[in-house]
């Protein structure tokens, strides 16, 4: 039987079930910062700064929309392929953003978590991430998860490595390996699966984001570039979600 683990209270029997019609967990691929900057004749980092400013507005819109979990894709395991200038600028932006926003996030009842591989990130950034997680751990109004150096294939590989170590050390019986067991080794183990995945900027691809977790998510691809993505656009997408017919492989009677 399916059950949601960790946070979230009562566990319904149906995957993706929500007491209200809206999505409980929304995941966003925040894309289009570079094109937004280019259209203005500015460097890509200008677009990343404009994009970062959008995050607070979307997080703050969540409680009224019934969105309890918001997961945002900030930097992928593939984004290291970008120029050194862009990567260094993004890492510096993440450090500054955490430092600047920590108090507001805590005061607004946001619990922040990070998913992704921290090993390749610099120690100072990782320390800020750890601190922000601790600083906000008492909050429950909105659960914001930031995917930073995150890639689904990397996450699943790390999970399987860890699982194999547990089998080798005798802590896990291979006979007990199933979907639920593997889920417990993922970075997202305390989160419910996303109900809705939004990608901005007109690209209709997933780019290695939450592949396992979004197996039954609804998808919405919008042309708006991330720095132009407002709470009104977000609210419209979230409210349209209620009209969708999620079947999870079942059939209507
Ligand atoms: C998304 O915007 C932000 C990150 C991937 C870090 P992009 O930087 O991918 O912007 P485009 O897609 O080039 O316009
Ligand atoms: C996905 O966007 C990653 C983030 C939004 C952080 P990309 O711009 O990196 O994806 P591709 O390269 O267009 O697939
Ligand atoms: Mg992009």
């Amino acid at each position: 039987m399916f059950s949601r683990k960790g946070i979230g209270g009562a566990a319904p029997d149906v995957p993706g079930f929500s007491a209200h019609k809206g999505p409980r967990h929304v995941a966003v691929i925040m894309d289009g910062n570079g094109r937004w900057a280019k259209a203005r004749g500015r460097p890509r980092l200008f677009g990343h700064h404009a994009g970062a400013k959008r995050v607070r507005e979307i997080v703050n819109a969540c409680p009224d929309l019934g969105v309890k979990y918001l997961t945002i894709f900030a930097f992928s395991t593939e984004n290291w392929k970008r120029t050194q200038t862009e990567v260094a600028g993004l890492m510096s932006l993440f450090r500054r953003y955490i430092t600047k926003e920590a108090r507001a996030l805590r005061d607004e009842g946001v619990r922040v978590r990070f998913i992704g591989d921290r090993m390749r990130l610099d120690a100072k950034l990782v320390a800020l991430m750890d601190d922000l997680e601790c600083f906000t751990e008492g909050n429950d109004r909105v659960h914001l998860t930031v995917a930073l150096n995150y890639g689904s294939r990397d996450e699943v590989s790390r999970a399987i490595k860890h699982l194999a170590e547990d089998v080798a050390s005798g802590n896990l019986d291979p006979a007990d390996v199933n979907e639920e067991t593997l889920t417990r080794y993922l970075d997202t183990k305390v989160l419910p699966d996303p109900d809705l995945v939004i990608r901005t900027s007109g690209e209709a691809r997933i780019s290695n984001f939450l592949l396992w977790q979004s197996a039954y998510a609804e998808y919405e691809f919008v042309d708006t570039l991330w720095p132009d993505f407002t709470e009104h656009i977000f609210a419209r997408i979230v409210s349209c979600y209620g009209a969708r017919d999620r079947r999870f492989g079942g059939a209507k009677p």
Side-chain angles (χ1 to χ4, degrees), residues 29-31 73-76 79 82 199 203 205 207:
I29 302 172
M30 310 184 292
D31 196 19
F73 204 2
F75 190 88
S76 77
N79 287 149
R82 298 186 179 199
R199 182 173 188 145
E203 310 294 353
R205 56 177 172 263
S207 302

Side-chain angles (χ1 to χ4, degrees), residues 33-34 37 42-51 84-93:
N33 294 349
R42 303 295 299 269
R44 295 179 60 83
L45 274 169
F46 182 70
H48 294 315
H49 281 267
Q84 207 269 333
T85 308
E86 183 171 356
V87 170
L90 279 164
M91 294 302 149
S92 152
L93 172 63

